[in-house]
Amino acid sequence: MGKWSPADDAELATGWRLWLELSDRVWPDPSWDGTPADAIRQVRSLLAVCEEIRLSYLSETPRPSIALLQLLQSMSFVASFAVDLWHDDTHPLDVERAELLHGDLASFADHVAGVRAALARGGGWAELDRRPWGLPVD
């Protein structure tokens, strides 16, 4: 995962907001109806928030950070395969398809964890990604 270090307050605030948004939106929430399309709903929602964060950041700064923009854009790039594959699949999952969907979501979750780690290291809040006993939160 790339390195990032905020150059100004706008960049720090954007990184912090992205870090917070990435904390719990990868896996289906309790309202999940058991279909792949609904599982992907939360990922699509997260991608929409990432785009909102990107546009807001671009409107706030005359010299945007390439590293931060790359972290933001990596979200949609990495999620695109799973979103394209599952977004319109409204059939209940069987065991085989559940394993495939889980694998796709797990790959995206790994990427999200890497982005969160890069943001935490660069923003100076890496200790927030740890539980009191030292295990990673993600």
Side-chain angles (χ1 to χ4, degrees):
M1 190 57 50
K3 292 192 181 234
W4 168 77
S5 182
D8 56 27
D9 288 344
E11 193 173 338
L12 179 64
T14 300
W16 177 250
R17 180 174 176 210
L18 179 59
W19 184 82
L20 289 172
E21 291 290 348
L22 296 178
S23 66
D24 66 351
R25 294 178 142 209
V26 175
W27 299 99
D29 62 22
S31 69
W32 180 46
D33 70 5
T35 66
D38 199 45
I40 293 297
R41 169 185 51 87
Q42 196 150 329
V43 172
R44 293 175 82 182
S45 173
L46 176 59
L47 295 178
V49 169
C50 288
E51 180 62 7
E52 176 188 317
I53 290 170
R54 186 184 74 80
L55 293 174
S56 175
Y57 173 61
L58 288 173
S59 73
E60 292 174 12
T61 184
R63 291 188 326 253
S65 161
I66 298 300
L68 184 55
L69 291 174
Q70 287 174 338
L71 287 173
L72 281 160
Q73 291 168 336
S74 74
M75 299 300 296
S76 60
F77 177 76
V78 171
S80 64
F81 175 76
V83 169
D84 288 347
L85 183 63
W86 299 106
H87 78 279
D88 60 352
D89 187 339
T90 58
H91 302 289
L93 288 168
D94 57 30
V95 172
E96 183 179 330
R97 290 173 57 247
E99 288 175 0
L100 293 171
L101 175 61
H102 183 270
D104 290 342
L105 291 175
S107 293
F108 183 60
D110 287 345
H111 180 73
V112 167
V115 170
R116 287 189 85 232
L119 291 167
R121 279 190 307 274
W125 57 82
E127 67 279 357
L128 296 177
D129 256 347
R130 302 226 168 254
R131 294 186 175 151
W133 54 89
L135 298 175
V137 173
D138 289 328

